[in-house]
Amino acid sequence: MTDLCIVFGCAAASAAFEESNFVLSLCLFTFASSAFSFVKRQYAGFGYVSAAFACALFHYLYTAYGVQVALCFAFFAVAAAAAGKGGAEGAGRILFFASLPLLAVMPFFAGDTLPSAQAYHLVFPFAGGICIARLCRRRPACAVISCGLGGAIGAMVRVCGGVCGELFMYSGLFFLAQSAVCGIITRAKRTYNRER
Amino acid sequence: MVITMPFSCIEEAGSAVAAAFDNCSDLNVRSFTCGSAKALVITVNELADRNYVSEKIVRPMLAADPEKTGDFSSLLQTAAYEETDDIDKICASLCSGGAFAAYENKKLMCAVCPADTYFGRSAAKAETDITVKGAQAAFVESADKNVSLLRRVIRTPELKCETYVKGRVTSTKIDVLYIRGRAPERVLEKLRAKIENINAEVIVDSGNVESLIKNNRFGFFPSFGSTEKVDKAASLLVAGRVVIVCDGSPFVLTAPYIFMESLQSSEDYLRSPYYATFMRALRFASLLTALYLPSMFLLLSDSRHELLPQEIYSVTEKLRRDIPVPLFFELMIMLIVFEMLREVGLRMPRSVGDAVGIVGSIIIGDAATKAGIASTPTILAVAVSAVANFVVPVYMNTTSLLRLLFLISAYAAGFAGLAAATGAVLCVLAAKCELGVPYLLGIYPFRADFMTDFILTIPQLTLGRREDL
């Protein structure tokens, strides 16, 4: 009934915000991922959604973590997304499993809170929810339950912070970044093939 | 000169073969008469067994009564022969150690028969994948010999062997072995199609075959398993894999190859399951150590030293205080020097290579610390990472490159860079699929039955188990 990719994506997207924006981000991600799970067809518009998601996410990375982190994420996300959607989904699941020990010890190694995103970055949980829903293709009920779990994990990451929270966030944000780039590349490939 | 029409007389057959082997001084042509009949035997020096040709081909021909000789079945005493006047087939047979025999009495008869002599080494002990317990036999350079070594272990007619000849110049024999009913048919179909589509001039090793049939020719990770141990190849055949034997190579390829196999050793099934489980966990930990130790050392002692206990940090900091080179460059230099020493050890003759490797590493390490170019903690981190790299030899080369990539990522963006690089590598691994089988099968897609033979080793159950690929 849960999808680990949605849990992971939702946890990272919601933990990027604090206080009221945290709740808003969680709601947006849950709404987007469940609502767009109904959509079965592929529309060209999803390419623009992925692009908007990527822009907002990389702007957040730039403002919160610096230009080096944003560039590094962009470089590796492009390299990883070239492997395809299956690779992005698989990497998300494995990264989430690898991050589980971090979640287990996180309360014991609480530290500084993580840098927070601004209100205008709220576009990225919404667009991210759509992209992750397109990537995983789960039923809406599954998306809602997964987002609930993701929200709980996100809240824990936001409250505890510290080095464990930081590592979890990096993994989650990278998964979101590669999903965004993967969405763009997939759409671009489809358009290119159709025009040929 | 290529003659495609049937030969009209024995002289024409002889001259056609001689013309095809123009300027080949190692061609051995023997023509003789026996009564009213004329005979001709052609071989290539040292490829065909002289005694065999003399005993089984020439002598029966000389002793035959031309009046009673109707066909080759009563004339040749070889184990097999094939009547042909196709010059390409005759040339191919001669190049692989066969003999060409022609006999003309009232009509002309031409045939090729295998007469090759094996001048390679006999089965020896494996030099890689060494085990203390268990079988030690290793493959040799002859494909036929390797197939027979496998047949000695798997004594069933269900072990099938399909032969292909590829390489326009080398005409290399490639044998594909599998156990019918165990190897998945869809895997076999894909493999057959890939081998049939090989379009290469030269194939001299199983490594050439691998690079020609793998999905992504610029792939970063090994796509096929490679072993020189007969018992390992046999157990993989029983598990439903396909073995590819290439003439001229003592290493056979196994397909499909999955990541989990890299942690397994044939000895794991011969010793205590607790110890085998411990060893596999150790191998996995070594793989992670080889990949991450230099980059984690950089992060923890340079930018994120608050994560280290104060006592450890103060010792590291004290030893590094007088080093003029930044830690990143120090690590890079030491890693590259280590790779150089490893290459020397591999390429030089063993007696020289070992000495250069040991002496070089000790002297260079000592001199670097005394000269103040490298600190002892750095050398320790590089050395531990280097040793850990050899624990899983399949990924030895890949790990060396990824280690540098991780180090650069950690230097560029700290923990974020390391996480991004790890994610990218995992993405490539998760997307990798060879012969329709995912590379991370068992992990992604998750399969509980594979987990009994990953790090955890369940005794007995795994022996002879057919894996559902």
Side-chain angles (χ1 to χ4, degrees), chain B residues 382-432:
Chain B
V382 170
V384 171
S385 169
V387 170
N389 192 13
F390 294 112
V391 178
V392 185
V394 178
Y395 293 113
M396 205 161 64
N397 301 334
T398 313
T399 308
S400 297
L401 293 175
L402 286 180
R403 186 165 51 193
L404 294 175
L405 179 78
F406 287 168
L407 186 62
I408 294 166
S409 311
Y411 176 64
F415 277 125
L418 202 55
T422 306
V425 170
L426 283 175
C427 191
V428 173
L429 279 172
K432 190 171 167 61

Side-chain angles (χ1 to χ4, degrees), chain B residues 259-451:
Chain B
F259 172 76
M260 282 185 175
E261 280 177 47
S262 63
L263 299 182
Q264 296 165 352
S265 159
S266 49
E267 207 174 356
D268 292 345
Y269 305 101
L270 305 175
R271 50 193 179 185
S272 156
Y274 303 108
Y275 187 68
T277 303
F278 169 68
M279 285 315 293
R280 287 195 184 174
L282 195 72
R283 281 177 212 139
F284 191 60
S286 301
L287 188 63
L288 296 179
T289 305
L291 282 171
Y292 289 104
L293 186 63
S295 44
M296 288 301 282
F297 177 73
L298 173 73
L299 285 174
L300 293 177
S301 36
D302 211 25
S303 54
R304 303 298 297 269
H305 53 79
E306 73 274 10
L307 297 173
L308 275 180
Q310 190 55 40
E311 295 80 10
I312 296 176
Y313 174 67
S314 55
V315 170
T316 318
E317 209 270 324
K318 193 177 153 191
L319 289 167
R320 283 216 73 253
R321 196 170 293 155
D322 299 327
I323 308 292
V325 189
L327 183 55
F328 169 71
F329 293 105
E330 193 185 336
L331 281 163
M332 280 296 269
I333 290 166
M334 293 320 290
L335 281 171
I336 290 166
V337 167
F338 168 74
E339 292 300 329
M340 284 173 184
L341 287 170
R342 184 172 76 112
E343 197 60 14
V344 168
L346 287 173
R347 304 281 165 239
M348 294 290 282
R350 182 165 287 178
S351 52
V352 183
D354 288 351
V356 171
I358 294 164
V359 174
S361 50
I362 292 170
I363 290 175
I364 289 173
D366 189 44
T369 45
K370 280 184 181 160
I373 294 168
S375 64
T376 37
T378 309
I379 291 176
L380 184 68
V382 170
V384 171
S385 169
V387 170
N389 192 13
F390 294 112
V391 178
V392 185
V394 178
Y395 293 113
M396 205 161 64
N397 301 334
T398 313
T399 308
S400 297
L401 293 175
L402 286 180
R403 186 165 51 193
L404 294 175
L405 179 78
F406 287 168
L407 186 62
I408 294 166
S409 311
Y411 176 64
F415 277 125
L418 202 55
T422 306
V425 170
L426 283 175
C427 191
V428 173
L429 279 172
K432 190 171 167 61
C433 189
E434 204 66 60
L435 302 172
V437 177
Y439 195 68
L440 292 182
L441 184 68
I443 303 165
Y444 175 77
F446 179 75
R447 290 270 296 276
D449 55 328
F450 278 71
M451 285 295 154

